[in-house]
């Protein structure tokens, strides 16, 4: 990107950062690391649902990164959970900040960006129907007409990368395609999402997490057990007990020694629930907390078996 004399470039990222959830944090860290190499002098804003925890985790990755929650607040303030209504409300508020006066300063900041970028993850889908407003907000902040910025907006490039858009909320497919059509760059991580985004026969891209795989986020191989479990509880329709039963059955069938098992906590709290059901049957298994994952790296090495 080139900029005029005296203009400091501004990159505005939007992501599901700060919950925390290891994958979402890794994606945000990857983009901040990339921008620190590409444009260390630029202003970088990360719009996320939990800016306080995000700053704690990511402070210093880019020297000028700061954290807000403007578009997330607009999504939550929408008068309905219905994706079409959320999309309309967020776009109206971005175009007329007086509709959302508590977030007007943040909306004006959004309008000054050179790039507004919805970074990767699986958070714009049926599980969280309000989040379609994030994509709508990116479009509204960079709305173009005939190749020129609409009145009052930045004229920035609008970008979406590494998105997983399925399962989509009912009747939202045409909306997602219409919003994606107005972006300058569209990249998704899987075939069904490419279809939803109207990419036709184009091959999908990859998850944004692969942006930052240079080895620094892995623990030493000596700390990597033979078998690793990553067991979410928040989206298990069958129940945690059935998941624990299935995993224990696998380990017993493979004659795995409990001391050779590691359990990683990608989602703090949520990824411990199944382990708590199993731990008395797995004496000596190593539990790797999110804090350890983030600070010491993932205990992964060639030749392991993962159950996820």
């Amino acid at each position: 990107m080139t900029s005029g004399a005296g203009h400091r470039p501004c990159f505005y990222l939007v992501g599901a950062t700060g919950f925390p959830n290891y994958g979402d944090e890794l994606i945000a860290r990857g983009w901040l690391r990339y921008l620190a190499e590409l444009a260390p002098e630029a202003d970088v804003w990360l719009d996320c649902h939990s800016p306080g925890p995000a700053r704690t985790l990511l402070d210093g990755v880019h020297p000028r990164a700061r954290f807000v929650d403007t578009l997330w607040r607009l999504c939550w303030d929408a008068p309905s959970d219905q994706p079409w209504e959320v999309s309309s409300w967020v776009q109206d508020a971005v175009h007329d900040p007086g509709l959302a006066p508590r977030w007007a300063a943040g909306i004006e900041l959004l309008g000054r960006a050179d790039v507004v970028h919805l970074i990767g993850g699986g958070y714009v889908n049926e599980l969280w129907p309000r989040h379609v407003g994030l994509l709508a907000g990116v479009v509204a902040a960079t709305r173009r007409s005939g190749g020129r910025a609409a009145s009052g907006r930045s004229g920035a490039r609008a970008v979406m990368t590494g998105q997983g858009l399925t399962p989509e909320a009912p009747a939202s497919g045409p909306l997602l395609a219409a919003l994606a059509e107005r972006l300058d760059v569209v990249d998704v991580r899987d075939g069904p999402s490419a279809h939803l985004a109207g990419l036709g026969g184009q091959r999908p891209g990859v998850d944004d997490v692969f942006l930052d795989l240079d080895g620094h986020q892995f623990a030493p191989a000596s700390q990597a057990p033979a078998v690793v479990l990553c067991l979410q509880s928040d989206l298990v329709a069958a129940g945690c007990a059935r998941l624990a039963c299935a995993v224990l059955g696998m380990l017993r069938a493979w004659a795995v020694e409990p001391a050779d098992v590691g359990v990683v906590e990608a989602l703090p709290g949520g990824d411990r629930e199944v382990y708590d059901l199993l731990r008395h049957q797995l004496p000596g298994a190593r539990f790797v907390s999110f804090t350890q994952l983030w600070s010491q790296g993932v205990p992964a090495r060639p030749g392991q078996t993962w159950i996820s």
Side-chain angles (χ1 to χ4, degrees):
M1 171 181 294
T2 60
S3 59
H7 173 71
R8 187 189 300 277
C10 180
F11 296 88
Y12 195 101
L13 310 181
V14 182
T17 316
F19 185 64
N21 186 333
Y22 184 73
D24 291 323
E25 315 314 315
L26 201 63
I27 287 169
R29 186 170 70 180
W31 279 110
L32 290 177
R33 279 168 53 90
Y34 174 74
L35 290 173
E37 297 176 4
L38 176 73
E41 80 292 348
D43 287 327
V44 178
W45 292 88
L46 176 55
D47 191 323
C48 56
H49 50 61
S50 305
R55 179 175 180 178
T56 301
L57 292 168
L58 299 169
D59 192 35
V61 178
H62 187 286
R64 298 187 60 83
R66 287 169 285 184
F67 304 86
V68 293
D69 57 1
T70 304
L71 286 180
W72 293 85
R73 294 279 187 169
L74 293 179
C75 291
W76 300 333
D77 279 0
S80 164
D81 286 335
Q82 295 301 315
W84 285 86
E85 294 185 40
V86 175
S87 173
S88 180
W89 154 253
V90 172
Q91 291 183 77
D92 285 343
V94 170
H95 294 148
D96 180 5
L99 297 174
R102 295 183 66 190
W103 322 123
I107 294 170
E108 291 303 320
L109 168 66
L110 175 62
R112 296 196 296 268
D114 296 294
V115 176
V116 183
H117 177 181
L118 188 71
I119 62 177
Y123 53 90
V124 180
N125 54 42
E126 182 183 22
L127 299 174
W128 302 281
R130 286 181 177 266
H131 293 178
V132 72
L134 300 172
L135 176 55
V138 170
V139 168
T142 58
R143 189 179 68 180
R144 295 168 182 268
S145 176
R148 296 186 300 172
S151 176
R153 299 274 57 84
S154 67
R157 288 173 59 80
V159 177
M160 175 175 75
T161 61
Q163 279 295 320
L165 301 172
T166 60
E168 74 275 19
S172 66
L175 173 61
L176 291 169
L179 291 171
E181 188 177 49
R182 296 165 67 188
L183 301 173
D184 295 285
V185 177
V186 180
D187 173 77
V188 295
R189 67 187 188 183
D190 58 79
S193 295
H195 176 73
L196 274 177
L199 297 180
Q202 295 183 42
R203 294 182 60 185
V206 297
D207 196 301
D208 280 4
V209 75
F210 291 103
L211 176 72
D212 195 31
L213 290 183
D214 61 4
H216 69 277
Q217 69 277 54
F218 294 105
S222 61
Q223 299 178 17
V227 177
V228 179
L229 313 180
C230 183
L231 306 173
Q232 288 184 257
S233 63
D234 58 332
L235 301 177
V236 180
C240 292
R242 290 188 65 181
L243 179 56
C245 181
V247 171
L248 185 61
M250 293 180 196
L251 296 175
R252 289 173 62 86
W254 299 339
V256 176
E257 292 293 330
D260 293 331
V261 175
V263 182
V264 296
E265 184 187 43
L267 180 65
D271 285 359
R272 189 181 179 100
E273 292 184 26
V274 180
Y275 169 69
D276 282 342
L277 300 179
L278 289 170
R279 60 189 173 87
H280 293 295
Q281 281 61 247
L282 297 175
R286 177 189 172 207
F287 183 79
V288 183
S289 69
F290 172 85
T291 301
Q292 291 172 298
L293 278 179
W294 191 249
S295 62
Q296 301 173 20
V298 179
R301 61 173 172 81
Q304 277 181 318
T305 297
W306 280 64
I307 300 177
S308 176

